[in-house]
Amino acid sequence: MLLSNIWCMRLFCRSFAYLTIKDRLPQILTKAIDSLHRHKNEFFEKYGEEGMEAEKKAISLLSKLRNELQTDKPVTPLVEKYIDTDIWNQYLEYQQSLISESDGKARWFYSPWLFVECYMYRRIHDAIIQSPPIDYFDVFKESKGQNFFESQESAVILCTHLQQLKSRVGHLSREQLRSEFFRLLQISLWGNKCDLSLSGGETSAQKSNLINSLDDLKPFILVNDMERLWSLLCKEEEKASAVRVAIVLDNSGFELVTDLILADFLLSSKLATEVHFYGKIIPWFVSDTTIHDFNWLIKQVKRSDHKWMSRCGGDWKNYVKMGRWVYVDHMFWTLPHEFSAMSQVAPDLYAELQKAHLILFKGDLNYRKLTGDRKWEFTVPFHQALNGFHPAPLCSIRTLKAEIQVGLQPGQGEQLAAADPSWLTMGKYGIFQSDGLL
Ligand SMILES: O=P(O)(O)OC[C@@]1(O)O[C@H](CO)[C@@H](O)[C@@H]1O
Ligand SMILES: [Mn+2]
Protein backbone atom coordinates (compact mmCIF):
# COMPACT_ATOMS: atom_id res chain seq x y z
CA MET A 1 0.00 0.00 0.00
CA LEU A 2 1.40 3.35 -1.03
CA LEU A 3 1.56 5.84 1.82
CA SER A 4 2.92 8.58 -0.37
CA ASN A 5 -0.37 9.27 -2.14
CA ILE A 6 -2.37 10.14 1.00
CA TRP A 7 -4.07 13.53 0.65
CA CYS A 8 -1.85 15.97 2.51
CA MET A 9 -2.06 19.76 2.44
CA ARG A 10 1.67 20.34 2.14
CA LEU A 11 1.96 18.12 -0.92
CA PHE A 12 -1.14 19.37 -2.63
CA CYS A 13 -1.23 23.07 -1.93
CA ARG A 14 -4.33 24.89 -3.21
CA SER A 15 -6.14 21.55 -3.22
CA PHE A 16 -9.64 21.13 -1.84
CA ALA A 17 -7.99 19.55 1.22
CA TYR A 18 -5.83 22.63 1.81
CA LEU A 19 -8.74 25.02 1.42
CA THR A 20 -10.82 22.94 3.84
CA ILE A 21 -8.23 23.31 6.58
CA LYS A 22 -7.43 26.92 5.81
CA ASP A 23 -10.93 28.32 5.36
CA ARG A 24 -13.69 25.90 6.24
CA LEU A 25 -12.47 24.56 9.58
CA PRO A 26 -11.84 27.97 11.21
CA GLN A 27 -15.31 29.02 10.04
CA ILE A 28 -16.81 25.92 11.66
CA LEU A 29 -14.94 26.64 14.90
CA THR A 30 -16.26 30.20 14.91
CA LYS A 31 -19.79 28.89 14.56
CA ALA A 32 -19.22 26.44 17.41
CA ILE A 33 -18.08 29.32 19.61
CA ASP A 34 -21.14 31.37 18.60
CA SER A 35 -23.39 28.49 19.52
CA LEU A 36 -21.92 28.37 23.04
CA HIS A 37 -22.41 32.15 23.34
CA ARG A 38 -26.02 31.88 22.33
CA HIS A 39 -26.70 29.30 25.03
CA LYS A 40 -25.18 31.41 27.80
CA ASN A 41 -28.54 32.14 29.40
CA GLU A 42 -29.57 28.51 29.27
CA PHE A 43 -26.35 27.50 31.05
CA PHE A 44 -26.92 30.20 33.66
CA GLU A 45 -30.50 29.12 34.30
CA LYS A 46 -29.46 25.49 34.64
CA TYR A 47 -26.23 25.81 36.59
CA GLY A 48 -25.88 29.43 37.73
CA GLU A 49 -22.33 30.85 37.94
CA GLU A 50 -20.83 27.41 37.41
CA GLY A 51 -22.55 27.21 34.02
CA MET A 52 -21.19 30.64 33.06
CA GLU A 53 -17.65 29.64 34.02
CA ALA A 54 -17.97 26.43 32.03
CA GLU A 55 -19.14 28.33 28.97
CA LYS A 56 -16.15 30.69 29.25
CA LYS A 57 -13.77 27.78 29.59
CA ALA A 58 -15.17 25.94 26.56
CA ILE A 59 -14.99 29.13 24.49
CA SER A 60 -11.42 29.85 25.49
CA LEU A 61 -10.37 26.27 24.63
CA LEU A 62 -12.05 26.50 21.23
CA SER A 63 -10.49 29.90 20.52
CA LYS A 64 -7.10 28.44 21.41
CA LEU A 65 -7.77 25.56 19.06
CA ARG A 66 -8.66 27.95 16.23
CA ASN A 67 -5.47 29.88 16.83
CA GLU A 68 -3.34 26.72 16.82
CA LEU A 69 -4.88 25.72 13.52
CA GLN A 70 -4.50 29.09 11.84
CA THR A 71 -0.89 29.49 12.92
CA ASP A 72 0.01 25.91 11.98
CA LYS A 73 1.13 24.86 15.47
CA PRO A 74 2.04 21.22 16.19
CA VAL A 75 -0.95 19.04 17.01
CA THR A 76 -1.04 18.17 20.70
CA PRO A 77 -2.29 15.10 22.58
CA LEU A 78 -5.84 15.03 23.89
CA VAL A 79 -6.00 15.79 27.58
CA GLU A 80 -9.36 14.73 28.98
CA LYS A 81 -9.94 11.04 29.63
CA TYR A 82 -12.53 9.49 27.33
CA ILE A 83 -12.98 5.97 25.93
CA ASP A 84 -10.90 6.68 22.84
CA THR A 85 -8.25 9.04 24.29
CA ASP A 86 -5.45 6.47 24.40
CA ILE A 87 -6.08 5.24 20.88
CA TRP A 88 -6.14 8.82 19.60
CA ASN A 89 -2.92 9.74 21.37
CA GLN A 90 -1.21 6.62 20.05
CA TYR A 91 -2.31 7.60 16.56
CA LEU A 92 -0.85 11.06 17.10
CA GLU A 93 2.48 9.49 18.03
CA TYR A 94 2.29 7.37 14.91
CA GLN A 95 1.76 10.52 12.82
CA GLN A 96 4.79 12.11 14.52
CA SER A 97 6.87 9.06 13.73
CA LEU A 98 6.15 9.48 10.01
CA ILE A 99 7.70 12.93 10.00
CA SER A 100 11.42 13.08 9.50
CA GLU A 101 11.98 16.71 8.62
CA SER A 102 11.59 20.08 10.45
CA ASP A 103 11.18 19.68 14.20
CA GLY A 104 9.60 16.21 13.82
CA LYS A 105 6.20 17.47 14.97
CA ALA A 106 2.93 16.78 13.17
CA ARG A 107 1.35 20.10 12.23
CA TRP A 108 -2.02 21.13 10.93
CA PHE A 109 -0.79 21.92 7.43
CA TYR A 110 1.87 19.21 7.34
CA SER A 111 -0.28 16.18 8.03
CA PRO A 112 -2.73 13.99 6.18
CA TRP A 113 -6.02 15.74 5.54
CA LEU A 114 -8.24 13.00 6.94
CA PHE A 115 -6.26 12.88 10.16
CA VAL A 116 -6.24 16.66 10.70
CA GLU A 117 -9.91 17.07 9.93
CA CYS A 118 -10.95 14.26 12.29
CA TYR A 119 -8.56 15.61 14.91
CA MET A 120 -10.27 19.00 14.88
CA TYR A 121 -13.68 17.51 15.64
CA ARG A 122 -12.16 15.33 18.37
CA ARG A 123 -10.47 18.43 19.87
CA ILE A 124 -13.84 20.20 19.95
CA HIS A 125 -15.14 17.31 22.00
CA ASP A 126 -12.04 17.48 24.19
CA ALA A 127 -12.84 21.15 24.92
CA ILE A 128 -16.45 20.39 25.77
CA ILE A 129 -15.73 17.50 28.13
CA GLN A 130 -13.18 19.65 29.93
CA SER A 131 -16.02 22.05 30.73
CA PRO A 132 -18.49 20.39 33.10
CA PRO A 133 -21.36 20.83 33.84
CA ILE A 134 -21.94 21.67 30.14
CA ASP A 135 -19.91 18.66 29.02
CA TYR A 136 -22.98 17.18 27.30
CA PHE A 137 -23.37 20.15 24.93
CA ASP A 138 -23.46 19.56 21.17
CA VAL A 139 -22.15 22.70 19.46
CA PHE A 140 -23.73 21.58 16.17
CA LYS A 141 -27.15 20.67 17.49
CA GLU A 142 -28.81 23.91 16.36
CA SER A 143 -27.49 23.61 12.80
CA LYS A 144 -28.70 20.02 12.54
CA GLY A 145 -32.14 21.03 13.81
CA GLN A 146 -32.27 23.97 11.42
CA ASN A 147 -31.44 21.70 8.49
CA PHE A 148 -34.30 19.41 9.45
CA PHE A 149 -36.87 22.19 9.83
CA GLU A 150 -35.83 23.95 6.63
CA SER A 151 -36.28 20.69 4.71
CA GLN A 152 -39.72 19.98 6.18
CA GLU A 153 -41.65 20.44 2.96
CA SER A 154 -39.47 17.99 1.07
CA ALA A 155 -39.63 15.57 3.99
CA VAL A 156 -43.44 15.73 4.00
CA ILE A 157 -43.49 14.84 0.29
CA LEU A 158 -41.23 11.85 0.90
CA CYS A 159 -43.18 10.64 3.93
CA THR A 160 -46.45 10.89 1.98
CA HIS A 161 -44.89 8.96 -0.88
CA LEU A 162 -43.71 6.27 1.52
CA GLN A 163 -47.07 5.85 3.24
CA GLN A 164 -48.91 5.60 -0.08
CA LEU A 165 -46.37 3.08 -1.24
CA LYS A 166 -46.72 1.03 1.94
CA SER A 167 -50.48 0.86 1.53
CA ARG A 168 -50.07 -0.96 -1.79
CA VAL A 169 -46.74 -2.69 -1.33
CA GLY A 170 -48.34 -6.16 -1.10
CA HIS A 171 -49.94 -5.68 -4.53
CA LEU A 172 -46.90 -4.48 -6.41
CA SER A 173 -45.36 -6.57 -9.15
CA ARG A 174 -41.68 -7.48 -8.87
CA GLU A 175 -40.91 -4.89 -11.51
CA GLN A 176 -42.78 -2.15 -9.64
CA LEU A 177 -41.06 -3.08 -6.40
CA ARG A 178 -37.70 -2.88 -8.12
CA SER A 179 -38.36 0.57 -9.52
CA GLU A 180 -39.58 1.81 -6.11
CA PHE A 181 -36.42 0.44 -4.52
CA PHE A 182 -34.33 2.29 -7.09
CA ARG A 183 -36.29 5.47 -6.50
CA LEU A 184 -35.71 5.40 -2.74
CA LEU A 185 -32.05 4.52 -3.19
CA GLN A 186 -31.60 7.60 -5.37
CA ILE A 187 -33.43 9.77 -2.87
CA SER A 188 -31.04 8.56 -0.19
CA LEU A 189 -28.11 9.28 -2.51
CA TRP A 190 -29.11 12.87 -3.26
CA GLY A 191 -30.00 13.38 0.39
CA ASN A 192 -26.24 13.29 0.90
CA LYS A 193 -25.91 16.68 -0.78
CA CYS A 194 -27.17 18.22 2.46
CA ASP A 195 -24.10 18.09 4.68
CA LEU A 196 -23.03 21.00 6.79
CA SER A 197 -19.28 20.59 6.91
CA LEU A 198 -18.88 21.22 3.18
CA SER A 199 -20.87 24.43 3.53
CA GLY A 200 -18.78 25.52 6.53
CA GLY A 201 -21.77 25.03 8.83
CA GLU A 202 -24.02 27.26 6.70
CA THR A 203 -27.51 26.00 6.09
CA SER A 204 -27.74 23.33 3.37
CA ALA A 205 -31.35 22.21 3.31
CA GLN A 206 -33.35 20.38 0.66
CA LYS A 207 -36.03 22.74 -0.59
CA SER A 208 -37.38 21.10 -3.72
CA ASN A 209 -39.31 17.92 -4.46
CA LEU A 210 -36.57 15.34 -4.92
CA ILE A 211 -38.88 12.72 -6.40
CA ASN A 212 -39.57 14.94 -9.42
CA SER A 213 -35.86 15.64 -9.96
CA LEU A 214 -34.63 12.03 -10.07
CA ASP A 215 -34.76 11.68 -13.85
CA ASP A 216 -32.82 14.89 -14.36
CA LEU A 217 -30.22 13.78 -11.84
CA LYS A 218 -29.68 10.32 -13.36
CA PRO A 219 -26.88 11.42 -15.74
CA PHE A 220 -24.89 12.54 -12.69
CA ILE A 221 -24.65 9.00 -11.28
CA LEU A 222 -21.15 7.99 -12.31
CA VAL A 223 -21.12 4.42 -10.97
CA ASN A 224 -24.46 2.72 -10.69
CA ASP A 225 -24.62 -0.66 -8.96
CA MET A 226 -28.30 -0.39 -7.97
CA GLU A 227 -29.12 -3.46 -10.07
CA ARG A 228 -26.60 -5.49 -8.07
CA LEU A 229 -28.14 -4.34 -4.80
CA TRP A 230 -31.54 -5.47 -6.01
CA SER A 231 -30.23 -8.89 -7.12
CA LEU A 232 -28.47 -9.45 -3.81
CA LEU A 233 -31.53 -8.62 -1.73
CA CYS A 234 -33.80 -10.76 -3.93
CA LYS A 235 -31.43 -13.68 -3.54
CA GLU A 236 -31.34 -13.28 0.25
CA GLU A 237 -35.12 -12.92 0.40
CA GLU A 238 -35.54 -16.26 -1.40
CA LYS A 239 -33.58 -18.00 1.32
CA ALA A 240 -36.41 -16.91 3.63
CA SER A 241 -34.16 -16.42 6.65
CA ALA A 242 -33.39 -13.21 8.49
CA VAL A 243 -31.86 -10.54 6.26
CA ARG A 244 -29.87 -7.86 7.99
CA VAL A 245 -29.00 -4.63 6.22
CA ALA A 246 -26.51 -2.35 7.94
CA ILE A 247 -26.57 1.37 7.19
CA VAL A 248 -23.50 3.30 8.26
CA LEU A 249 -25.16 6.67 8.66
CA ASP A 250 -23.87 10.04 7.67
CA ASN A 251 -25.73 13.31 8.16
CA SER A 252 -28.69 14.00 10.39
CA GLY A 253 -31.49 16.30 9.17
CA PHE A 254 -32.82 15.76 5.66
CA GLU A 255 -30.33 13.02 4.72
CA LEU A 256 -31.35 10.97 7.75
CA VAL A 257 -35.01 11.29 6.73
CA THR A 258 -34.14 9.83 3.33
CA ASP A 259 -32.19 6.98 4.95
CA LEU A 260 -35.02 6.13 7.33
CA ILE A 261 -37.47 6.14 4.43
CA LEU A 262 -35.25 3.68 2.59
CA ALA A 263 -34.89 1.56 5.73
CA ASP A 264 -38.65 1.54 6.25
CA PHE A 265 -39.17 0.43 2.67
CA LEU A 266 -36.65 -2.40 3.10
CA LEU A 267 -38.76 -3.80 5.94
CA SER A 268 -42.21 -3.09 4.42
CA SER A 269 -41.23 -4.71 1.12
CA LYS A 270 -39.69 -7.65 3.02
CA LEU A 271 -36.39 -7.16 1.21
CA ALA A 272 -34.86 -7.09 4.70
CA THR A 273 -36.04 -8.22 8.11
CA GLU A 274 -33.86 -5.95 10.25
CA VAL A 275 -31.86 -2.77 9.77
CA HIS A 276 -28.88 -1.86 11.94
CA PHE A 277 -27.86 1.79 11.93
CA TYR A 278 -24.34 2.84 12.83
CA GLY A 279 -23.81 6.38 14.07
CA LYS A 280 -21.25 8.57 15.81
CA ILE A 281 -20.71 8.70 19.57
CA ILE A 282 -19.77 12.39 19.54
CA PRO A 283 -20.69 15.40 17.36
CA TRP A 284 -18.77 14.97 14.11
CA PHE A 285 -18.21 16.85 10.83
CA VAL A 286 -20.98 19.25 11.88
CA SER A 287 -23.99 17.33 10.65
CA ASP A 288 -23.21 13.65 11.36
CA THR A 289 -25.81 11.63 13.23
CA THR A 290 -25.49 10.78 16.93
CA ILE A 291 -27.99 8.75 18.94
CA HIS A 292 -29.50 12.03 20.19
CA ASP A 293 -30.05 13.22 16.61
CA PHE A 294 -31.52 9.86 15.64
CA ASN A 295 -34.03 9.85 18.51
CA TRP A 296 -34.72 13.57 18.19
CA LEU A 297 -35.51 13.32 14.50
CA ILE A 298 -37.89 10.38 14.92
CA LYS A 299 -39.65 12.32 17.68
CA GLN A 300 -39.98 15.41 15.48
CA VAL A 301 -41.33 13.39 12.56
CA LYS A 302 -43.88 11.76 14.88
CA ARG A 303 -44.90 15.15 16.26
CA SER A 304 -45.59 16.60 12.84
CA ASP A 305 -49.02 18.10 12.10
CA HIS A 306 -48.95 16.34 8.80
CA LYS A 307 -50.82 13.05 8.95
CA TRP A 308 -48.47 10.94 6.82
CA MET A 309 -45.33 12.38 8.25
CA SER A 310 -46.56 11.73 11.75
CA ARG A 311 -47.51 8.18 10.72
CA CYS A 312 -43.91 7.64 9.58
CA GLY A 313 -42.60 8.81 12.96
CA GLY A 314 -44.97 6.41 14.73
CA ASP A 315 -43.90 3.48 12.54
CA TRP A 316 -40.23 4.29 13.06
CA LYS A 317 -40.61 4.48 16.80
CA ASN A 318 -42.23 1.04 16.70
CA TYR A 319 -39.46 -0.46 14.62
CA VAL A 320 -36.98 0.70 17.25
CA LYS A 321 -39.17 -0.64 20.05
CA MET A 322 -39.55 -4.02 18.37
CA GLY A 323 -35.83 -4.28 17.68
CA ARG A 324 -36.32 -4.37 13.91
CA TRP A 325 -34.35 -1.15 13.77
CA VAL A 326 -31.27 -1.13 15.94
CA TYR A 327 -29.03 1.90 16.48
CA VAL A 328 -25.45 0.92 17.26
CA ASP A 329 -22.72 3.21 18.61
CA HIS A 330 -19.04 2.58 18.25
CA MET A 331 -16.05 4.81 18.88
CA PHE A 332 -14.32 3.52 15.75
CA TRP A 333 -16.39 5.80 13.52
CA THR A 334 -14.86 8.86 15.19
CA LEU A 335 -11.27 7.66 15.09
CA PRO A 336 -8.97 8.91 12.31
CA HIS A 337 -8.29 5.37 11.06
CA GLU A 338 -9.23 4.22 7.60
CA PHE A 339 -11.60 1.27 7.47
CA SER A 340 -8.92 -1.20 6.40
CA ALA A 341 -7.60 -0.87 9.98
CA MET A 342 -10.97 -1.80 11.53
CA SER A 343 -10.28 -5.51 11.92
CA GLN A 344 -7.25 -4.67 14.08
CA VAL A 345 -8.42 -1.52 15.87
CA ALA A 346 -12.06 -2.52 16.42
CA PRO A 347 -12.36 -6.30 15.89
CA ASP A 348 -15.72 -6.34 17.72
CA LEU A 349 -17.21 -3.90 15.24
CA TYR A 350 -15.74 -5.76 12.30
CA ALA A 351 -17.27 -9.01 13.58
CA GLU A 352 -20.61 -7.25 13.98
CA LEU A 353 -20.52 -5.96 10.41
CA GLN A 354 -19.72 -9.46 9.17
CA LYS A 355 -23.21 -10.48 10.33
CA ALA A 356 -24.85 -8.15 7.81
CA HIS A 357 -26.00 -9.40 4.41
CA LEU A 358 -25.37 -5.96 2.99
CA ILE A 359 -23.69 -2.83 4.34
CA LEU A 360 -24.60 0.59 2.93
CA PHE A 361 -22.04 3.30 3.63
CA LYS A 362 -23.59 6.73 3.37
CA GLY A 363 -21.68 9.83 2.45
CA ASP A 364 -18.37 11.24 1.49
CA LEU A 365 -16.40 10.84 4.70
CA ASN A 366 -17.18 7.13 4.76
CA TYR A 367 -15.91 6.90 1.18
CA ARG A 368 -12.69 8.64 2.14
CA LYS A 369 -12.23 6.15 4.96
CA LEU A 370 -13.14 3.19 2.75
CA THR A 371 -10.48 4.18 0.22
CA GLY A 372 -7.89 5.41 2.74
CA ASP A 373 -8.24 9.03 1.49
CA ARG A 374 -5.61 8.45 -1.15
CA LYS A 375 -4.96 10.18 -4.41
CA TRP A 376 -5.86 7.07 -6.41
CA GLU A 377 -5.95 6.85 -10.17
CA PHE A 378 -9.61 7.06 -11.18
CA THR A 379 -9.50 3.62 -12.78
CA VAL A 380 -8.17 1.71 -9.73
CA PRO A 381 -10.74 -0.97 -8.83
CA PHE A 382 -12.82 -0.22 -5.72
CA HIS A 383 -11.91 -3.66 -4.34
CA GLN A 384 -8.23 -2.74 -4.45
CA ALA A 385 -8.75 0.66 -2.82
CA LEU A 386 -10.60 -1.05 0.04
CA ASN A 387 -7.26 -2.60 0.94
CA GLY A 388 -8.59 -5.75 2.57
CA PHE A 389 -11.75 -4.28 4.12
CA HIS A 390 -14.39 -6.82 3.13
CA PRO A 391 -16.61 -7.61 6.15
CA ALA A 392 -19.68 -8.32 3.97
CA PRO A 393 -21.06 -7.23 0.58
CA LEU A 394 -21.02 -3.46 0.69
CA CYS A 395 -22.01 -0.38 -1.24
CA SER A 396 -21.00 3.25 -0.95
CA ILE A 397 -23.86 5.70 -1.55
CA ARG A 398 -22.16 9.04 -1.81
CA THR A 399 -22.16 12.37 -3.57
CA LEU A 400 -18.64 13.45 -4.50
CA LYS A 401 -17.30 16.06 -2.09
CA ALA A 402 -13.61 15.24 -1.91
CA GLU A 403 -10.98 14.73 -4.60
CA ILE A 404 -11.14 10.96 -4.51
CA GLN A 405 -12.85 8.61 -6.90
CA VAL A 406 -11.99 5.09 -7.96
CA GLY A 407 -13.54 2.46 -10.20
CA LEU A 408 -14.24 4.72 -13.18
CA GLN A 409 -13.96 3.73 -16.84
CA PRO A 410 -10.70 4.65 -18.61
CA GLY A 411 -10.93 8.30 -19.65
CA GLN A 412 -14.14 8.97 -17.68
CA GLY A 413 -12.44 11.03 -14.95
CA GLU A 414 -10.44 13.05 -17.47
CA GLN A 415 -13.55 13.77 -19.52
CA LEU A 416 -15.46 14.93 -16.45
CA ALA A 417 -12.56 17.12 -15.36
CA ALA A 418 -12.40 18.76 -18.77
CA ALA A 419 -16.12 19.49 -18.79
CA ASP A 420 -16.44 20.54 -15.15
CA PRO A 421 -13.30 21.28 -13.10
CA SER A 422 -15.23 21.08 -9.80
CA TRP A 423 -16.82 17.68 -10.54
CA LEU A 424 -15.14 16.01 -7.54
CA THR A 425 -16.07 18.42 -4.82
CA MET A 426 -19.44 20.08 -5.32
CA GLY A 427 -21.74 17.16 -4.50
CA LYS A 428 -23.18 17.36 -8.00
CA TYR A 429 -22.22 13.79 -8.95
CA GLY A 430 -23.03 10.60 -7.10
CA ILE A 431 -22.19 6.91 -6.98
CA PHE A 432 -23.60 3.56 -5.95
CA GLN A 433 -20.32 1.69 -5.82
CA SER A 434 -20.35 -1.85 -4.55
CA ASP A 435 -17.92 -4.56 -3.61
CA GLY A 436 -18.53 -8.24 -2.99
CA LEU A 437 -21.88 -8.25 -4.80
CA LEU A 438 -22.47 -10.33 -7.94
O1 LIG B 1 -19.48 12.70 4.76
P1 LIG B 1 -20.25 13.83 4.15
O2 LIG B 1 -21.17 14.47 5.11
O3 LIG B 1 -20.93 13.42 2.88
O4 LIG B 1 -19.22 14.92 3.70
C1 LIG B 1 -18.27 15.41 4.58
C2 LIG B 1 -17.50 16.50 3.92
O5 LIG B 1 -18.31 17.56 3.53
O6 LIG B 1 -16.60 16.96 4.84
C3 LIG B 1 -15.37 17.27 4.20
C4 LIG B 1 -15.20 18.73 4.06
O7 LIG B 1 -15.00 19.27 5.31
C5 LIG B 1 -15.37 16.58 2.89
O8 LIG B 1 -14.55 15.50 2.93
C6 LIG B 1 -16.71 16.03 2.70
O9 LIG B 1 -17.16 16.56 1.54
MN1 LIG C 1 -21.29 14.07 7.21
Side-chain angles (χ1 to χ4, degrees), residues 16 20 24-25 113 117 121 192 195 197-198 250-251 255 285 287-288 362-366 368 399 401-402:
F16 182 71
T20 298
R24 212 171 291 124
L25 297 193
W113 178 31
E117 208 175 7
Y121 289 98
N192 179 243
D195 89 79
S197 93
L198 184 63
D250 186 7
N251 304 305
E255 181 171 358
F285 279 66
S287 40
D288 286 10
K362 285 300 311 285
D364 196 71
L365 177 61
N366 278 328
R368 290 170 62 193
T399 59
K401 291 179 273 182

Side-chain angles (χ1 to χ4, degrees), residues 246-393:
I247 304 184
V248 182
L249 294 171
D250 186 7
N251 304 305
S252 183
F254 184 72
E255 181 171 358
L256 182 57
V257 173
T258 66
D259 296 336
L260 297 184
I261 284 183
L262 174 65
D264 189 338
F265 175 77
L266 288 173
L267 295 190
S268 328
S269 62
K270 301 197 169 56
L271 286 170
T273 55
E274 54 188 273
V275 180
H276 288 213
F277 298 98
Y278 294 84
K280 312 292 195 291
I281 55 167
I282 60 174
W284 202 245
F285 279 66
V286 188
S287 40
D288 286 10
T289 307
T290 64
I291 183 68
H292 304 292
D293 302 322
F294 185 82
N295 291 334
W296 179 87
L297 186 133
I298 293 179
K299 206 188 275 171
Q300 294 304 318
V301 171
K302 186 163 181 288
R303 253 194 213 162
S304 165
D305 293 336
H306 191 278
K307 181 177 159 194
W308 298 124
M309 185 150 182
S310 168
R311 177 78 61 88
C312 283
D315 291 350
W316 297 349
K317 197 171 167 218
N318 271 334
Y319 290 146
V320 174
K321 208 163 127 196
M322 293 184 308
R324 300 190 68 198
W325 277 9
V326 183
Y327 181 95
V328 198
D329 274 331
H330 200 289
M331 67 159 171
F332 181 80
W333 306 115
T334 48
L335 291 177
H337 301 71
E338 54 198 74
F339 292 164
S340 64
M342 187 192 287
S343 57
Q344 277 106 54
V345 180
D348 55 333
L349 178 63
Y350 194 83
E352 187 59 29
L353 290 180
Q354 283 179 313
K355 294 183 199 155
H357 296 88
L358 171 66
I359 313 171
L360 303 177
F361 285 91
K362 285 300 311 285
D364 196 71
L365 177 61
N366 278 328
Y367 193 76
R368 290 170 62 193
K369 288 189 162 189
L370 283 165
T371 55
D373 212 34
R374 281 168 172 72
K375 208 176 175 323
W376 295 107
E377 299 282 329
F378 297 132
T379 48
V380 163
F382 187 37
H383 186 84
Q384 184 186 331
L386 287 168
N387 188 28
F389 180 71
H390 311 293

Side-chain angles (χ1 to χ4, degrees), residues 62-341:
L62 292 183
S63 307
K64 181 168 169 283
L65 173 60
R66 187 175 52 190
N67 180 268
E68 285 173 23
L69 188 166
Q70 289 180 315
T71 53
D72 196 21
K73 294 276 182 319
V75 299
T76 54
L78 302 173
V79 292
E80 195 66 24
K81 193 80 195 141
Y82 195 66
I83 43 169
D84 62 351
T85 311
D86 292 343
I87 303 184
W88 259 101
N89 286 343
Q90 273 163 25
Y91 194 87
L92 252 65
E93 274 174 29
Y94 161 70
Q95 284 298 332
Q96 309 275 20
S97 74
L98 298 179
I99 294 171
S100 48
E101 72 253 42
S102 72
D103 52 4
K105 298 232 166 76
R107 293 165 180 279
W108 288 86
F109 287 88
Y110 281 76
S111 302
W113 178 31
L114 180 63
F115 160 60
V116 171
E117 208 175 7
C118 290
Y119 173 75
M120 185 200 76
Y121 289 98
R122 185 57 184 82
R123 278 284 301 273
I124 294 179
H125 187 64
D126 199 44
I128 296 295
I129 58 178
Q130 283 181 69
S131 314
I134 63 161
D135 47 359
Y136 62 88
F137 189 69
D138 178 350
V139 291
F140 305 125
K141 192 171 169 221
E142 275 181 333
S143 322
K144 289 183 269 195
Q146 190 186 353
N147 173 277
F148 172 76
F149 290 120
E150 288 180 359
S151 315
Q152 280 271 12
E153 264 178 61
S154 306
V156 163
I157 294 171
L158 296 183
C159 288
T160 307
H161 178 79
L162 176 69
Q163 288 301 335
Q164 283 169 355
L165 178 58
K166 281 170 77 166
S167 68
R168 57 192 172 92
V169 74
H171 307 288
L172 295 182
S173 67
R174 235 24 221 172
E175 189 43 45
Q176 285 169 322
L177 208 60
R178 175 176 158 277
S179 69
E180 283 304 339
F181 176 55
F182 287 1
R183 201 195 305 265
L184 297 184
L185 275 173
Q186 289 170 79
I187 287 171
S188 167
L189 167 66
W190 299 119
N192 179 243
K193 278 189 179 191
C194 298
D195 89 79
L196 297 172
S197 93
L198 184 63
S199 58
E202 291 300 328
T203 177
S204 169
Q206 175 67 35
K207 298 261 164 70
S208 62
N209 178 348
L210 243 187
I211 303 177
N212 290 345
S213 318
L214 295 183
D215 284 344
D216 295 339
L217 291 170
K218 265 252 172 70
F220 298 101
I221 302 178
L222 302 180
V223 180
N224 190 345
D225 287 343
M226 286 197 299
E227 207 59 74
R228 290 183 187 201
L229 292 172
W230 170 249
S231 304
L232 176 104
L233 290 176
C234 289
K235 225 177 60 207
E236 293 301 339
E237 191 190 2
E238 276 168 23
K239 293 187 199 155
S241 52
V243 179
R244 182 193 291 189
V245 173
I247 304 184
V248 182
L249 294 171
D250 186 7
N251 304 305
S252 183
F254 184 72
E255 181 171 358
L256 182 57
V257 173
T258 66
D259 296 336
L260 297 184
I261 284 183
L262 174 65
D264 189 338
F265 175 77
L266 288 173
L267 295 190
S268 328
S269 62
K270 301 197 169 56
L271 286 170
T273 55
E274 54 188 273
V275 180
H276 288 213
F277 298 98
Y278 294 84
K280 312 292 195 291
I281 55 167
I282 60 174
W284 202 245
F285 279 66
V286 188
S287 40
D288 286 10
T289 307
T290 64
I291 183 68
H292 304 292
D293 302 322
F294 185 82
N295 291 334
W296 179 87
L297 186 133
I298 293 179
K299 206 188 275 171
Q300 294 304 318
V301 171
K302 186 163 181 288
R303 253 194 213 162
S304 165
D305 293 336
H306 191 278
K307 181 177 159 194
W308 298 124
M309 185 150 182
S310 168
R311 177 78 61 88
C312 283
D315 291 350
W316 297 349
K317 197 171 167 218
N318 271 334
Y319 290 146
V320 174
K321 208 163 127 196
M322 293 184 308
R324 300 190 68 198
W325 277 9
V326 183
Y327 181 95
V328 198
D329 274 331
H330 200 289
M331 67 159 171
F332 181 80
W333 306 115
T334 48
L335 291 177
H337 301 71
E338 54 198 74
F339 292 164
S340 64

